[in-house]
């Protein structure tokens, strides 16, 4: 399959993306978090193609992306009265809510669960597309299973070229990590995946307690220990340890080692060192692109300077830990492909 590279400033290209989605094809679309691999959510056969293209297990549910809050009741039921006013403040934005699904929502989307994940993305191009074509799209991140989420159209093409009909190029994503996922109950809510919207901010806005369990039983692929993973082995090191070990990196490992830093000054040959900005917003936006770029340099290991231990960095720590994974889990994860 020839994957078309579409550009939103060209109105014919938006129409082309809408036509392809309506025809049951897969189109990678920009969102403010990461690029999504979209299929018409009302077409189960189209949604099934997502799993084939990504190599994703069928029991991992997908998030449905809506044009606006007014679409909520089309997809979810048993919505607590307190939720719509809260969503008026947070949508469009990086928050996915898990609610009881309407009976028509396909098991292909929910992985057989009685619930569905819903979000209104804050990207003008995607919202335009959804509104113009009266579409809701199921869209996981547009990458092969367990690899890094794409924050640029080129990353999508590197992983999925030939497997999808098109990518709509909306430029670099402004946020850069996946949405916060919140399971909604009448008397409480639970963060299932950390994201750009922190649990503390959610607690300020919600009239019910917001729980943040460390690990849980729900089927959330972002909750697997190995995920969001570059090819090179990732190791997380505090700044001082990184600076101490860096000069001996070749002698001690015998490998090609690179580094991702935000503050540590590293001496010597730094062609394999990438520096990302030290504020959590800018760091988040650059993180996946930086790991992607280091991966392109053919390294065996990427040493990552541990970011500050502050609440606004929680989702970044979460993604870095999953990128690092442990050796055992890497092997069993590879077996699943
Ligand atoms: P991605 O892994 O990039 O496809 O992001 C989609 C995330 O939303 C995954 O972690 C899914 O498991 C999660 N998700 C979607 N729907 C549900 C649901 N009904 N219950 C729990 N998690 C969900
Ligand atoms: Mg993903």
């Amino acid at each position: 399959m020839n994957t078309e590279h579409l550009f939103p400033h060209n109105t014919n290209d938006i129409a082309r993306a809408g036509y392809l989605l309506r025809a049951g094809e897969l189109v990678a679309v920009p969102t403010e978090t990461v690029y999504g691999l979209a299929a018409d959510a009302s077409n189960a056969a189209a949604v099934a193609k997502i799993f084939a293209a990504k190599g994703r297990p069928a029991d991992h549910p997908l998030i449905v992306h809506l044009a606006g809050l007014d679409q909520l009741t089309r997809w979810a039921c048993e919505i607590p009265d307190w939720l719509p006013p809260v969503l008026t403040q947070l949508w469009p934005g990086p928050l996915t809510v898990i609610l009881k699904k309407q009976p028509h929502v396909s098991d292909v989307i929910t992985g057989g669960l009685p619930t569905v994940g819903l979000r209104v993305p804050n990207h003008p191009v995607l919202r335009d597309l959804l509104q113009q074509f009266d579409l809701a799209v199921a869209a996981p991140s547009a990458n092969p299973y367990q690899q890094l989420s794409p924050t640029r159209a080129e990353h999508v093409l590197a992983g999925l070229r030939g497997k999808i009909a098109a990518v709509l190029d909306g430029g670099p994503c402004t946020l850069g990590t996946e949405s916060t996922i919140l399971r909604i109950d009448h008397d409480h809510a639970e963060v299932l995946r950390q994201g750009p919207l922190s649990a503390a901010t959610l607690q300020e806005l919600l009239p019910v307690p917001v729980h943040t369990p460390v690990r849980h039983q729900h089927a959330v692929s972002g909750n697997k220990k190995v995920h969001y993973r570059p090819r090179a082995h990732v190791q997380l090191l505090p700044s001082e340890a990184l600076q101490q070990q860096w000069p001996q990196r070749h002698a001690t490992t015998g490998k090609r080692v690179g580094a991702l830093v935000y503050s540590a000054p590293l001496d010597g040959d730094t062609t394999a060192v990438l520096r990302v900005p030290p504020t959590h917003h800018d760091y988040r936006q650059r993180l996946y692109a930086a790991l992607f770029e280091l991966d392109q340099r053919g390294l065996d290991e990427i040493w990552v300077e541990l970011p500050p231990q502050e609440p606004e960095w929680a989702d970044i720590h979460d993604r870095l830990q999953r990128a690092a994974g442990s050796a055992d889990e890497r092997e069993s994860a590879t077996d699943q492909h």
Side-chain angles (χ1 to χ4, degrees):
M1 180 187 293
N2 169 41
T3 301
E4 299 173 38
H5 195 158
L6 305 174
F7 292 90
H9 55 254
N10 183 345
T11 45
N12 290 339
D13 279 12
I14 298 249
R16 177 73 182 152
Y19 168 82
L20 288 168
L21 286 167
R22 277 292 189 76
E25 299 295 340
L26 302 183
V27 179
V29 293
T31 82
E32 80 278 37
T33 59
V34 301
Y35 273 75
L37 182 57
D40 178 353
S42 65
N43 178 345
V47 175
K49 291 183 184 174
I50 291 175
F51 294 88
K54 281 185 61 110
R56 177 178 170 116
D59 63 351
H60 284 214
L62 305 175
I63 295 168
V64 177
H65 293 70
L66 309 174
L69 177 57
D70 56 334
Q71 301 293 305
L72 184 67
T73 50
R74 232 161 102 173
W75 296 87
C77 53
E78 297 181 17
I79 299 163
D81 291 342
W82 54 262
L83 186 61
V86 171
L87 290 180
T88 306
Q89 298 178 67
L90 294 174
W91 279 358
L95 176 71
T96 297
V97 290
I98 306 290
L99 288 160
K100 179 128 194 267
K101 75 179 186 81
Q102 287 283 7
H104 71 85
V105 181
S106 167
D107 281 343
V108 182
I109 291 177
T110 66
L113 293 172
T115 51
V116 62
L118 299 166
R119 173 166 111 82
V120 177
N122 189 14
H123 195 291
V125 171
L126 179 56
R127 294 193 75 204
D128 226 29
L129 180 68
L130 298 182
Q131 266 154 12
Q132 269 189 48
F133 288 84
D134 189 25
L135 277 165
V137 292
S141 54
N143 53 277
Y145 181 54
Q146 289 190 329
Q147 294 184 15
L148 289 173
S149 297
T151 54
R152 292 164 182 267
E154 306 88 77
H155 303 170
V156 176
L157 288 167
L160 295 175
R161 190 194 290 278
K163 296 183 172 168
I164 63 176
V167 57
L168 183 57
D169 192 335
C173 299
T174 51
L175 289 180
T177 59
E178 303 79 0
S179 62
T180 306
I181 300 183
L182 190 67
R183 201 166 67 81
I184 306 292
D185 248 307
H186 281 268
D187 60 355
H188 73 281
E190 192 181 4
V191 175
L192 299 188
R193 175 173 76 187
Q194 313 249 29
L197 198 56
S198 73
T201 304
L202 286 168
Q203 186 61 87
E204 280 169 24
L205 295 169
L206 268 62
V208 295
V210 175
H211 302 310
T212 53
V214 180
R215 297 198 76 70
H216 52 74
Q217 302 304 311
H218 296 281
V220 176
S221 65
N223 199 39
K224 293 221 181 277
K225 277 195 179 172
V226 176
H227 207 78
Y228 314 117
R229 182 184 60 176
R231 276 187 200 86
H233 181 76
V234 171
Q235 217 181 316
L236 308 177
L237 293 166
S239 311
E240 274 179 25
L242 176 59
Q243 280 171 84
Q244 274 167 15
Q245 294 176 32
W246 183 249
Q248 281 86 44
R249 62 196 178 282
H250 296 307
T252 52
T253 65
K255 293 183 172 155
R256 288 165 300 176
V257 180
L260 183 68
V261 299
Y262 66 94
S263 78
L266 298 182
D267 300 330
D269 167 26
T270 51
T271 49
V273 176
L274 272 187
R275 192 164 288 280
V276 276
T279 61
H280 68 89
H281 179 273
D282 294 345
Y283 186 108
R284 180 182 289 111
Q285 206 231 341
R286 284 281 298 138
L287 174 62
Y288 287 144
L291 288 173
F292 189 90
E293 205 174 316
L294 286 169
D295 241 1
Q296 302 283 81
R297 298 184 186 177
L299 303 166
D300 303 310
E301 292 195 9
I302 302 171
W303 291 2
V304 178
E305 179 185 8
L306 260 184
Q309 299 287 347
E310 288 161 16
E312 314 83 70
W313 292 77
D315 65 318
I316 294 167
H317 279 280
D318 173 84
R319 300 307 189 273
L320 285 173
Q321 268 147 24
R322 291 178 210 288
S326 74
D328 301 356
E329 284 169 312
R330 281 171 163 265
E331 275 159 28
S332 61
T334 315
D335 290 347
Q336 290 171 20
H337 278 263

